[in-house]
Amino acid sequence: HVAILCKLVCFSTVARQYLLGLFPPSRSDFPPVLCGLSVLFLTSCSCIGLMFGTTQLDDYVLSQITLKNDTLSYQMWKGPAVKTYLNVYVFNYTNVEAYENGDAEKLQVDEIGPYVYEETMEKVNVKFHANGTVSYQEKRVHRYRDDLSGGRSPNDSVIVPNLPMLGAAATGKDYLYPFRLMLSGVFHQLDAKPFINVPIDKFIWGYDDVFYSVVKDVLSFYRKLPLEKFGILGTRKGTSEDVFSVHSGVNNINKVKQIDTFNGNNYLPYWGSEQCNEVKGSDGSAFAPMDVRRRGPISVFNKEMARTIKLIYDQDVKIFNGKVTAARYIMPKSTFDSAERNVDNECYCIDECSPQGVFNTAAAAFGAPIFMSLPHFYNAEDEIKTGVDGMKPHQVADNYVLVHPTLGFAMGGRSSLQLNVQVQKSLGMSQLEMFENDIILPMAWVQMALEESDLPDAITNSIYLVSLTVPTIELCLKYGSILGAIVTFVSIVIIVTGTWSPRKRR
């Protein structure tokens, strides 16, 4: 801007002398004027070459999203600036007694919710490493939002499947018959039943269960369970023991905030191939900028499912009252397809493949038959949809993320997934006799939402800066340099050729 101002001042001075004829320039005035105009012309040409022939400005802007200590980008990434909302919908089983007595052919569920929790996440124990990676753990704090929950109380009681008991029954089915009889006896002694009545808040974050406590103590000699108390979202409570390592982007900007290792490992031990076991994808806060610019596929690592989820480009949308453009990426419907429909899921088949529309996470869940799906078994096979009454298998929510179209950082999004448990019967397990074998029971579905209106001012201002201010400055520099070069070149030609003759003073 200073260069352009100098050019305009210089040109206006010469033009004023020529056009008004008040102070006709002498021959001695031309050398310094020509020298100044030549310098400005060369400066403009250099600026044109810099703006159109190099990527230095773009590289500088991209460098601002790398993870460096004591920078704004690092502070926003570390948190806890952003608030995420967890909308929990629980399936309450309303006819358990009639079903157990044989008076009802199917179980009946009634969806209740949402129960909304405000979540803030901070990255703790952050360490920078010499190889250009940053390791950290996640610490989450939750607050119940009564104002967003429609007056529902977190103390509301629900009847839901007893996942610890059903999980133990499933892992015991492959043992000898005497062991299964003994396990059934333990269930009887501890009064462990397939369904429990529990308050919503405890069902979500953890409740006292005698059987789970016994199992936890027994397994402690082999492998420590991640939860002191079982809750469907218990792993999101407090400080996680899992350690992530992500690329800082200093060595390669296209790897910024991409997962390098999970708990020190580049590969998981669960699945049937290196491709599915490889730890890769984003941590969810940013994606490879070059992939986003060409609207190519991106991916995010999901530790709950122990797999990478691919996201595909959908369309460009306007956010922040139509002022900012975002690239909308969605989770394809084929994510939970059976291996017959989606061959990429074949490597997730352990012993047998998952049915259409659900994903078996048992390998990563201590053998517990936990299945993930879209809400209400959307896109699942008919046998699963109709296993219980009360399901409404239509697309009730999208899974998407809004990404900055050039820098790749996330500006909003929603994730909606359902937690289910499969009943796996075996001879000697009398507590499960009333069930159809391998029936999948829905437990709850959770929508995690990050809305643009909930972003703090610091992040909103940064989005406006990189989306509106920086492109405007870049545009001004590009075409201002061209204009400056033209103006100075024409001025030089006019002076040298004497095209304008000074008007004599009257």
Side-chain angles (χ1 to χ4, degrees):
H1 290 87
V2 173
I4 294 173
L5 181 61
C6 291
K7 298 168 193 174
L8 293 176
V9 170
C10 182
F11 179 74
S12 63
T13 301
V14 175
R16 180 171 176 268
Q17 292 179 357
Y18 273 98
L19 296 176
L20 298 180
L22 298 177
F23 302 98
S26 64
R27 291 183 178 273
S28 61
D29 293 332
F30 285 106
V33 172
L34 283 174
C35 182
L37 288 174
S38 299
V39 171
L40 293 176
F41 175 72
L42 293 176
T43 302
S44 297
C45 291
S46 300
C47 192
I48 291 173
L50 181 67
M51 297 303 298
F52 288 93
T54 70
T55 61
Q56 289 191 19
L57 179 60
D58 187 47
D59 292 343
Y60 172 76
V61 174
L62 284 172
S63 69
Q64 301 307 300
I65 65 172
T66 59
L67 295 178
K68 298 178 183 177
N69 207 357
D70 298 327
T71 62
L72 178 60
S73 174
Y74 168 72
Q75 294 299 330
M76 291 192 298
W77 171 80
K78 185 175 181 294
V82 177
K83 296 178 181 178
T84 303
Y85 291 94
L86 305 180
N87 301 277
V88 184
Y89 299 81
V90 179
F91 293 107
N92 182 38
Y93 285 73
T94 59
N95 67 337
V96 170
E97 185 176 351
Y99 181 77
E100 290 177 339
N101 294 333
D103 297 329
E105 183 180 351
K106 288 184 179 182
L107 287 163
Q108 175 75 39
V109 296
D110 180 27
E111 178 191 279
I112 56 175
Y115 294 86
V116 183
Y117 290 84
E118 178 185 294
E119 177 184 270
T120 54
M121 193 268 284
E122 179 183 8
K123 296 175 176 68
V124 297
N125 301 323
V126 179
K127 298 178 182 178
F128 287 83
H129 303 284
N131 64 348
T133 61
V134 186
S135 61
Y136 63 92
Q137 293 170 273
E138 296 175 335
K139 179 182 178 181
R140 289 182 169 89
V141 177
H142 300 91
R143 180 169 69 95
Y144 186 71
R145 292 293 300 268
D146 182 73
D147 57 318
L148 301 177
S149 302
R152 301 175 187 87
S153 170
N155 296 318
D156 292 343
S157 293
V158 289
I159 298 176
V160 291
N162 187 349
L163 196 152
M165 182 263 189
L166 295 175
T171 55
K173 71 182 180 64
D174 295 326
Y175 289 93
L176 296 175
Y177 179 72
F179 177 85
R180 295 198 298 270
L181 280 179
M182 182 180 67
L183 182 59
S184 179
V186 172
F187 289 156
H188 179 73
Q189 289 295 323
L190 298 178
D191 197 28
K193 298 179 179 180
F195 293 92
I196 57 171
N197 191 320
V198 63
I200 288 284
D201 192 69
K202 294 184 180 298
F203 174 61
I204 295 173
W205 303 115
Y207 58 89
D208 293 313
D209 183 83
V210 176
F211 177 74
Y212 180 78
S213 298
V214 171
V215 171
K216 178 167 60 68
D217 292 339
V218 172
L219 287 180
S220 63
F221 296 99
Y222 166 66
R223 183 181 177 187
K224 182 181 177 181
L225 290 176
L227 301 174
E228 287 298 318
K229 298 179 180 181
F230 175 77
I232 60 171
L233 295 182
T235 56
R236 299 182 69 88
K237 182 180 180 181
T239 301
S240 172
E241 294 184 356
D242 295 320
V243 179
F244 288 90
S245 179
V246 299
H247 292 276
S248 66
V250 174
N251 297 333
N252 184 346
I253 189 60
N254 212 41
K255 287 187 175 182
V256 62
K257 299 169 188 174
Q258 302 293 299
I259 302 290
D260 179 48
T261 62
F262 178 63
N263 290 328
N265 300 309
N266 297 110
Y267 292 89
L268 301 172
Y270 308 124
W271 311 117
S273 73
E274 286 190 357
Q275 178 184 353
C276 285
N277 276 320
E278 185 180 4
V279 176
K280 59 182 178 180
S282 163
D283 66 354
S285 64
F287 302 88
M290 302 310 164
D291 293 340
V292 175
R293 290 184 179 190
R294 63 173 179 265
R295 302 302 190 261
I298 57 178
S299 59
V300 61
F301 179 73
N302 186 300
K303 74 169 186 176
E304 283 77 17
M305 288 191 285
R307 63 172 290 183
T308 298
I309 302 295
K310 183 175 74 171
L311 305 174
I312 59 174
Y313 172 72
D314 179 35
Q315 61 180 332
D316 281 2
V317 297
K318 291 290 186 179
I319 59 176
F320 292 105
N321 298 319
K323 297 179 181 178
V324 177
T325 299
R328 188 176 190 267
Y329 278 81
I330 61 174
M331 186 178 78
K333 293 181 181 179
S334 61
T335 300
F336 296 138
D337 275 356
S338 63
E340 294 179 355
R341 293 191 182 184
N342 184 359
V343 294
D344 291 338
N345 286 339
E346 187 174 356
C347 58
Y348 295 114
C349 299
I350 304 298
D351 296 331
E352 60 182 22
C353 294
S354 301
Q356 169 62 28
V358 294
F359 179 72
N360 188 356
T361 67
F366 298 90
I370 298 175
F371 285 73
M372 304 299 295
S373 71
L374 296 176
H376 288 260
F377 293 125
Y378 177 70
N379 205 35
E381 61 185 44
D382 291 338
E383 185 178 352
I384 295 176
K385 294 177 183 178
T386 59
V388 298
D389 287 334
M391 304 302 293
K392 301 174 182 178
H394 61 280
Q395 190 168 4
V396 296
D398 288 331
N399 288 278
Y400 68 89
V401 61
L402 301 177
V403 183
H404 191 275
T406 57
L407 300 183
F409 59 83
M411 298 186 289
R414 290 187 179 185
S415 172
S416 303
L417 295 174
Q418 182 171 301
L419 178 71
N420 315 281
V421 60
Q422 186 181 55
V423 178
Q424 298 181 0
K425 297 173 62 175
S426 59
L427 186 63
M429 205 69 64
S430 59
Q431 288 83 358
L432 307 181
E433 289 180 353
M434 78 287 293
F435 293 102
E436 293 184 15
N437 192 36
D438 292 340
I439 185 174
I440 297 179
L441 305 178
M443 299 184 69
W445 68 276
V446 182
Q447 182 184 82
M448 290 177 281
L450 173 61
E451 305 292 346
E452 59 187 75
S453 58
D454 297 319
L455 293 175
D457 291 340
I459 294 180
T460 301
N461 293 336
S462 298
I463 291 175
Y464 278 124
L465 176 66
V466 299
S467 302
L468 302 176
T469 307
V470 171
T472 301
I473 293 175
E474 182 180 8
L475 193 66
C476 290
L477 288 175
K478 282 183 176 180
Y479 295 101
S481 299
I482 295 175
L483 178 62
I486 294 174
V487 169
T488 52
F489 178 76
V490 171
S491 300
I492 292 172
V493 171
I494 290 174
I495 293 175
V496 171
T497 60
T499 302
W500 283 2
S501 297
R503 188 161 50 92
K504 293 182 179 181
R505 188 189 302 266
R506 291 181 179 178

